[in-house]
Amino acid sequence: MRRHLILALAIAGGTVGCATATPGASGGLLRVVATTTQVGEAARAVGGDLIALTVLLTPGAEAHDYEMTPTAAAAVERADVILKSGAGLESWLDDALVTIGGADRVRDMSVGIGLQAPADAATASEVDPHYWLSVPNAIRLVENVRDALNVASPADAGQFASAAAGYVARLRASDAEIRRLMAEIPVERRGIVTNHDALGYFLDEYGLRFVGSIFPSLDVSAEPNPGQLAELVDTIRRNGVTAIFSESAVNPRLAQAIAQETGARVVHEPLYTDSLGPPGSGAETLDGMLLHDARVIHDALIGP
Ligand SMILES: [Zn+2]
C-alpha cells in the first residue's frame, strides 16, 4: 500500500504551496513540514537554514478546509517532524495520516496555550483554533516550535534558542504597540463584526468586543441562512457598529450585502486571520500580521 502510494505521488508531481525545499532533497537537513502559514513562519524563523522546510498552506488560503495535494502528502510522508497548529484546526491532516502514516511524527504547536471556545459556540467542548491572533499565544507558538525542533535536532538547540529569542523580542515590541493603538479607541466603539469568528483571542487580549460574525460557524463553506443574516443585521444596528471587517482568506460578498443593509461600511484593507499576508504585505510575519490587524482595526474604529 505504502509503496503504491509513493509511486502514485511521484507520478502526480506538482508543487506544494510556499515550499522552500523539495521533499526528499534535504541535503542532510532536518526535514520539517508545517501545516499553516503561521506555524511555517515560526519554523522558518527558528529553524533558519538548519532545516528543510515545507509549508502546506499558502498565504491567502483559508485554513479550515485544506485539501492535501499528492505533493503535500509526499512531503508529509518524508518529513522527520510535522508541526501542526492544533486545537482542532487540521482534521484534514489527521485524515490524511490515516492513509500515509506518521502520526507519531506530528507535534502539536497549541500545547500549553489557554484555548477558549468560539464566541458563538454551539457546544461547550468547541474550541476556537485561531489562538495565534494574540501576541502572548504567538510567543508560545514560537517557543513550541523551538522545543519541537530541539527534540528533533538537539545539537542545534543553541541556534534555535537564539533565533526564537529574537523573534519573541519582536513579538513583544508588537504587543506594546498594539496595546497603545487599542487604548486610543473609545470604549463604545470597540465592538467588532468580522466575516468569520476568528478574532476571539485578539479581542479578549486587547479589550475589544465581539458583536457578530457573518458566517455562523468556523467553516466558511456553511453560509448563514436568511434568519441568521436578519439577526446579524439587527445586532449591528443595535450596537451602532459602523465597520465590518473582511478577512484576506474569506469572500467579502456577504459582508458587502450586510453593509449595504445596515449603513455600516466594509473595511477593505483585509485583516489577516487564517493566513499570514503575502511577501511584501508587512503581514508576512507573526509580529507583522498582528500589528497590521491592530492598525486596520484602530484606523477603522477610531472615527473622525
Ligand atoms: Zn479561521
Side-chain angles (χ1 to χ4, degrees):
M1 173 59 207
R2 193 177 159 89
R3 183 163 295 276
H4 286 155
L5 179 66
I6 295 170
L7 189 61
L9 295 170
I11 293 165
T15 54
V16 178
C18 45
T20 54
T22 311
S26 71
L29 298 174
L30 185 72
R31 283 174 298 216
V32 178
V33 163
T35 55
T36 64
T37 55
Q38 289 86 4
V39 174
E41 156 64 7
R44 184 202 60 73
V46 175
D49 54 11
L50 297 174
I51 63 171
L53 176 66
T54 301
V55 186
L56 299 184
L57 291 173
T58 48
E62 188 262 314
H64 302 276
D65 195 22
Y66 172 78
E67 193 144 346
M68 188 94 89
T69 63
T71 316
V76 167
E77 182 152 30
R78 292 168 190 269
D80 297 309
V81 56
I82 302 156
L83 306 177
K84 74 167 182 179
S85 191
L89 185 71
E90 299 108 327
S91 53
W92 46 267
L93 177 68
D94 302 333
D95 292 347
L97 289 175
V98 172
T99 312
I100 307 171
D104 56 323
R105 290 176 281 126
V106 176
R107 302 291 173 267
D108 184 341
M109 297 300 101
S110 71
V111 168
I113 287 171
L115 297 172
Q116 56 191 46
D120 49 3
T123 63
S125 62
E126 234 182 295
V127 164
D128 180 352
H130 306 89
Y131 63 81
W132 55 84
L133 289 168
S134 92
V135 170
N137 290 350
I139 288 173
R140 185 64 196 240
L141 167 62
V142 169
E143 291 172 344
N144 283 343
V145 167
R146 176 201 63 199
D147 294 348
L149 295 182
N150 280 349
V151 170
S153 186
D156 296 320
Q159 286 195 59
F160 295 149
S162 68
Y167 210 126
V168 167
R170 290 199 296 282
L171 278 161
R172 291 223 165 92
S174 270
D175 192 56
E177 177 65 3
I178 293 167
R179 288 181 199 285
R180 191 189 69 73
L181 288 167
M182 295 303 110
E184 286 183 5
I185 302 171
V187 173
E188 69 277 12
R189 288 179 189 246
R190 292 185 188 174
I192 295 268
V193 175
T194 53
N195 245 325
H196 86 306
D197 177 17
L199 283 177
Y201 295 92
F202 188 96
L203 305 187
D204 282 7
E205 187 65 38
Y206 300 112
L208 299 165
R209 201 157 41 81
F210 175 86
V211 172
S213 66
I214 293 168
F215 289 87
S217 79
L218 297 179
D219 179 3
V220 296
S221 64
E223 294 220 343
N225 63 42
Q228 289 168 321
L229 280 179
E231 200 182 311
L232 179 61
V233 164
D234 190 49
T235 305
I236 287 171
R237 287 188 176 131
R238 271 190 289 106
N239 284 272
V241 170
T242 56
I244 298 172
F245 293 92
S246 59
E247 295 164 65
S248 66
V250 184
N251 187 332
R253 183 178 53 82
L254 273 172
Q256 278 152 3
I258 289 167
Q260 216 152 41
E261 181 86 17
T262 57
R265 69 190 178 86
V266 176
V267 180
H268 286 289
E269 182 68 31
L271 297 179
Y272 293 102
T273 53
D274 281 10
S275 162
L276 293 176
S281 64
E284 66 270 50
T285 60
L286 292 165
D287 51 315
M289 168 194 65
L290 285 155
L291 192 52
H292 166 96
D293 286 355
R295 285 187 178 132
V296 170
I297 290 169
H298 170 270
D299 293 356
L301 297 186
I302 193 91

